[in-house]
Amino acid sequence: MNTGSKPDISREKSAELYEKAKNYFPGGVNSPVRAFKSVYGTPLFIQKGDGCFVWDADGNQFIDFCGSWGPLILGHNNAKVREKVTEVMQSGMSFGAPTALENELAELIIKNNKFVEKIRFTSSGTEAVMSAIRLARGYTGKDKIIKFEGCYHGHTDSLLVKAGSGLVTFGETSSAGVPKSFAQETIVIPLNDTEAIKAAFEQFKGEVAAVIIEGIPANNGLLMQDPEYIKSLEQICKENNALLIFDEVITGFRIGFEGAAAYYGVKPDIVTYGKIIGGGLPVGMYGASAEIMGHISPDGGVYQAGTLSGNPVAMAAGIAQLTELLRSGFYKELNNKATEFAESIQRFATARNYKLKVFHVGSIFWMAFTDKDKIQSAEDIDPASMEKFKLMHRELLNRGIYLGPSGYEVGFVSAAHTKIELEKAKRAIFDSLDVVFRNK
Ligand SMILES: *Cc1c(COP(=O)(O)O)cnc(C)c1O
């Protein structure tokens, strides 16, 4: 039986730490969404994580569905990852010279991924995307980039751009500090809209270096695209001598080892990875055919570098994590577990006539407060629905469930979530939904 709204958990220690942090960091954080601006209360300061659990500074325990925003597909503090990292660390932490560990992680990826022949490691997803864009421009000799409203690609200048008015427009900067002239090189169009991309290529004939899309857009809700649409992007890029860039920083190694490209059966020209690839340490990567990658320095004229790129400790974490993912049946088991979880929440909501849709793919899920059967573009999301998320988020924290602190963020099921914890989480979600929909 639902017991109604729960009293708030203690956040005394977190609140204290947050007050202190505000003296040191803008908004008290080192990445904005962590500041809990879209949900109730002060941010929780996390003290430790193990398996599918995290504990905050006040000792509250949560079943975690944020997973450091995606990297922790094996859960927190995985023994294999921890042991490998600890072992490698004994020999020093950075050399700025090549190590065998880079070869080892590269081999694990390239041997098991038909979409990349050569790769370059970076230290974040943002860097990987920024470099992929430069590569596309250097390779094609063209400047303009087409991006989609509702896709996030990190905080690189030319992609901090939102749609202007009209179907096909230059973007408008979505951050202060991005020169207008940069935004002029980025064309922003809606997702899942064949006419818009045709019009963009028509209007900027011969000027487009690349189309960049998230393999499966998962940074602004989970915006599942029609497979035919994704395939049509491959075609239209070919026709226009533009490169197709799949930003698989979330979807890479998540919905399968080869990410969204394999899921759709589409061959992107350049792929970017991040998050999971580093096993919880800072790693990004971009890759392409040997021919395209031949344009990267020192072989080619496109400059890109990094003091800590290919860092041995980060490589070690990636090697340990990806080795686990390659075990036979890994994705099948994880994805089945996550599907069952998402579908049972949907069944509960449907049975009670709650306006909630649980969109999911692989082990990614997104709870949307809507009655639409499909949400495929940014404008399909009703901002007012976020009020319900906010209520749910508080109820869930009070019941020991941690979701990312924004209704636009997806959740992740990890291999460390056992049936028992998923059942507990479901009960907590059901009870929270009862509270949310009774409060309307
Ligand atoms: C997280 C993310 C990025 C940025 O990666 P960082 O490591 O945060 O710089 C880029 N693209 C996508 C699709 C992402 O999800």
Side-chain angles (χ1 to χ4, degrees):
M1 273 303 288
N2 176 22
T3 53
S5 193
K6 282 245 185 187
D8 285 336
I9 50 168
S10 161
R11 299 195 201 183
E12 239 170 84
K13 294 248 165 57
S14 280
E16 231 171 79
L17 288 165
Y18 186 47
E19 280 314 304
K20 214 170 184 183
K22 283 198 263 185
N23 296 321
Y24 306 137
F25 314 115
V29 290
N30 285 296
S31 198
V33 70
R34 297 179 196 171
F36 269 46
K37 292 291 185 204
S38 320
V39 293
Y40 292 106
T42 50
L44 300 179
F45 277 61
I46 304 299
Q47 194 140 33
K48 84 174 186 181
D50 198 59
C52 68
F53 296 106
V54 290
W55 287 263
D56 69 10
D58 291 277
N60 301 304
Q61 181 186 21
F62 304 92
I63 301 174
D64 176 30
F65 290 98
C66 177
S68 189
W69 301 102
L72 303 183
I73 192 169
L74 300 176
H76 295 270
N77 196 21
N78 176 270
K80 294 259 170 53
V81 177
R82 183 185 63 240
E83 280 157 20
K84 179 84 180 167
V85 164
T86 314
E87 176 207 315
V88 166
M89 266 168 61
Q90 312 300 319
S91 307
M93 296 193 215
S94 182
F95 309 108
T99 67
L101 291 156
E102 290 154 81
N103 286 354
E104 211 181 307
L105 182 56
E107 211 167 280
L108 268 177
I109 295 162
I110 293 171
K111 280 205 172 141
N112 295 289
N113 182 320
K114 58 184 164 298
F115 302 103
V116 292
E117 288 175 353
K118 277 200 178 175
I119 66 178
R120 170 77 45 97
F121 290 120
T122 62
S123 298
S124 71
T126 295
E127 256 187 283
V129 169
M130 183 182 81
S131 312
I133 296 280
R134 187 180 305 138
L135 173 58
R137 286 174 166 153
Y139 180 79
T140 59
K142 296 186 276 189
D143 287 342
K144 292 210 177 351
I145 300 292
I146 296 177
K147 98 172 265 291
F148 297 89
E149 187 75 359
C151 282
Y152 175 71
H153 302 290
H155 61 90
T156 185
D157 279 335
S158 59
L159 295 171
L160 284 180
V161 169
K162 58 180 192 270
S165 51
L167 183 62
V168 176
T169 53
F170 293 125
E172 287 170 15
T173 63
S174 60
S175 162
V178 175
K180 274 211 181 71
S181 59
F182 286 28
Q184 294 269 299
E185 303 298 343
T186 306
I187 301 149
V188 185
I189 60 173
L191 281 160
N192 222 54
D193 184 337
T194 310
E195 287 315 306
I197 189 140
K198 275 190 193 152
F201 272 111
E202 198 57 42
Q203 195 171 329
F204 300 99
K205 221 171 185 46
E207 295 179 71
V208 177
V211 171
I212 183 165
I213 187 166
E214 281 183 66
I216 295 172
N219 272 291
N220 189 75
L222 181 63
L223 306 174
M224 296 300 298
Q225 305 296 290
D226 296 336
E228 313 79 63
Y229 175 70
I230 301 294
K231 293 209 177 95
S232 79
L233 297 181
E234 191 180 20
Q235 189 57 34
I236 199 162
C237 283
K238 267 210 187 80
E239 287 164 13
N240 290 278
N241 290 319
L243 301 187
L244 177 60
I245 304 174
F246 258 36
D247 180 0
E248 299 232 36
V249 172
I250 281 192
T251 47
F253 311 104
R254 169 58 67 176
I255 60 175
F257 197 84
E258 295 175 285
Y263 178 83
Y264 286 119
V266 162
K267 181 156 186 353
D269 298 292
I270 306 178
V271 191
T272 60
Y273 297 116
K275 300 198 166 106
I276 289 177
I277 198 176
L281 290 187
V283 182
M285 184 213 105
Y286 62 103
S289 66
E291 194 249 328
I292 293 179
M293 289 303 282
H295 287 68
I296 295 292
S297 58
D299 282 351
V302 177
Y303 187 72
Q304 189 267 315
T307 301
L308 292 174
S309 293
N311 171 270
V313 183
M315 294 290 106
I319 291 164
Q321 177 146 283
L322 297 201
T323 301
E324 293 307 301
L325 306 188
L326 284 168
R327 285 184 195 288
S328 113
F330 176 86
Y331 286 103
K332 193 161 180 235
E333 192 182 323
L334 174 63
N335 295 351
N336 285 345
K337 195 162 67 174
T339 303
E340 200 280 324
F341 178 67
E343 285 178 352
S344 54
I345 299 169
Q346 185 65 74
R347 273 197 301 277
F348 173 83
T350 307
R352 301 215 170 184
N353 268 322
Y354 291 161
K355 227 172 106 174
L356 180 92
K357 286 279 149 58
V358 188
F359 297 98
H360 62 96
V361 61
S363 49
I364 307 175
F365 67 92
W366 179 50
M367 292 189 268
F369 291 88
T370 181
D371 47 14
K372 294 181 188 166
D373 288 326
K374 284 185 174 182
I375 294 202
Q376 297 186 292
S377 72
E379 61 176 23
D380 290 344
I381 303 174
D382 175 11
S385 69
M386 293 301 156
E387 277 309 307
K388 286 208 164 52
F389 176 83
K390 201 171 161 178
L391 282 172
M392 179 178 73
H393 189 265
R394 181 173 65 189
E395 291 300 325
L396 285 176
L397 283 184
N398 293 340
R399 290 172 170 78
I401 308 295
Y402 189 89
L403 286 186
S406 156
Y408 290 94
E409 302 288 351
V410 296
F412 301 98
V413 176
S414 78
H417 287 94
T418 68
K419 278 227 156 65
I420 295 172
E421 276 96 33
L422 288 174
E423 282 306 316
K424 278 190 192 156
K426 272 189 226 167
R427 290 263 35 117
I429 292 170
F430 297 168
D431 290 349
S432 300
L433 288 174
D434 280 341
V435 174
V436 168
F437 284 97
R438 206 185 304 139
N439 265 356
K440 65 187 163 211

